[in-house]
Amino acid sequence: MNSGAIGIFDSGVGGLKILGAAVKRLRGEDFIYVFDRSHSPYGNRSDRYVRRRAEKVSELLLSKGAKVVVAACNTATGVGITYLRRKFGAPFVGVEPPVKPAALARTHGKILVLTTCRTAEQANFHRLLEKWDDGNVIVAPQPSLARDVELNFAALSKLKPVVDDILAPYDGEDIESVVLGCTHYYYLADMISAHYGGSARVFDAVDGVTHRIETVLDENDLRSETGKGRVKYIYL
């Protein structure tokens, strides 16, 4: 047993969906969430820059007593998760675009994957595609969508025309599902579904990540019996 908190970080609001799900699922745990907003969004930064930020934020979380660190960002996971595990020797959980569940669920149409530009370039993402793309995956990198979500978080409805413009070029592609390859995009799921009249399934990684956090806690005997679902927020 371990009474330390679960540390979660992202460049901004993207990881809050994962935090919310983790708080509900892991009711005996406490949490620390870091908004690295002064360096947001990670998806437009160089690999070296993102890795350095992930290292600094992880070091901060571990210094605050975090027993597990969750990189709630596809870009940070792709460029840094292996390095972070090796450097700190602590349990880390990452997030990747849920291409696998979308591919397993596919019956007829195309899978549209929305990612940041950096994630689309990463080797681990290409390995994911090599394993699960049978020729029916379309990757659509978005240079500014994560920042749009961050800047308009209090009024996300403003982004409906932006979302429609992003999806419109693929309207003739028989899109069966849309994979959200950035945690910031999770807030746009309803808009994306509405664009397709509810006919396209939207995949995010929230359930997969929270399940993985739970597994890591159990594997390392890190469950807490004293936590009360408290969340501490840190802004950088």
Side-chain angles (χ1 to χ4, degrees):
M1 297 296 174
N2 188 306
S3 60
I6 296 169
I8 302 176
F9 75 90
D10 185 32
S11 63
V13 299
L16 289 175
K17 287 279 190 178
I18 291 172
L19 171 66
V23 169
K24 289 181 180 179
R25 183 167 187 152
L26 304 167
R27 296 187 179 275
E29 304 292 342
D30 292 326
F31 299 83
I32 305 171
Y33 186 93
V34 174
F35 297 86
D36 195 20
R37 292 196 71 182
S38 60
H39 301 272
S40 177
Y42 288 162
N44 291 342
R45 305 284 192 175
S46 70
D47 287 0
R48 181 180 179 184
Y49 189 99
V50 175
R51 190 179 300 113
R52 185 168 64 246
R53 288 309 306 165
E55 179 181 357
K56 286 185 176 297
V57 175
S58 297
E59 187 172 32
L60 171 64
L61 284 167
L62 292 168
S63 74
K64 299 290 185 182
K67 58 187 176 183
V68 176
V69 176
V70 181
C73 169
N74 291 267
T75 300
T77 297
V79 303
I81 199 76
T82 300
Y83 170 76
L84 295 172
R85 288 170 177 154
R86 184 171 62 247
K87 178 176 177 61
F88 293 109
F92 277 81
V93 174
V95 57
E96 66 180 15
V99 175
K100 176 182 176 179
L104 291 174
R106 194 187 77 83
T107 59
H108 64 278
K110 300 285 188 179
I111 300 170
L112 179 63
V113 183
L114 302 179
T115 72
T116 64
C117 294
R118 184 61 59 206
T119 293
E121 296 171 351
Q122 291 171 349
N124 64 322
F125 178 63
H126 286 281
R127 286 193 291 269
L128 189 65
L129 293 180
E130 288 171 5
K131 186 171 183 179
W132 295 106
D133 179 13
D134 60 358
N136 290 290
V137 174
I138 301 170
V139 179
Q142 302 302 315
S144 60
L145 189 56
R147 180 174 291 280
D148 289 342
V149 171
E150 194 74 30
L151 294 177
N152 294 280
F153 188 62
L156 287 171
S157 60
K158 293 181 180 179
L159 297 182
K160 183 62 167 66
V162 175
V163 170
D164 286 336
D165 286 346
I166 288 170
L167 299 176
Y170 309 101
D171 283 348
E173 295 286 353
D174 186 25
I175 301 299
E176 179 179 347
S177 61
V178 179
V179 169
L180 304 180
C182 170
T183 53
H184 279 75
Y185 303 169
Y186 295 178
Y187 296 100
L188 307 176
D190 289 345
M191 296 180 197
I192 293 169
S193 180
H195 179 87
Y196 293 105
S199 64
R201 184 175 175 184
V202 181
F203 286 85
D204 65 42
V206 171
D207 287 344
V209 173
T210 52
H211 176 72
R212 182 57 187 161
I213 296 170
E214 188 173 38
T215 299
V216 167
L217 291 175
D218 290 338
E219 288 177 345
N220 293 276
D221 194 24
L222 293 174
R223 289 277 194 167
S224 173
E225 294 182 339
T226 60
K228 298 180 180 179
R230 293 167 294 198
V231 181
K232 178 180 180 180
Y233 297 99
I234 299 175
Y235 298 84
L236 301 179

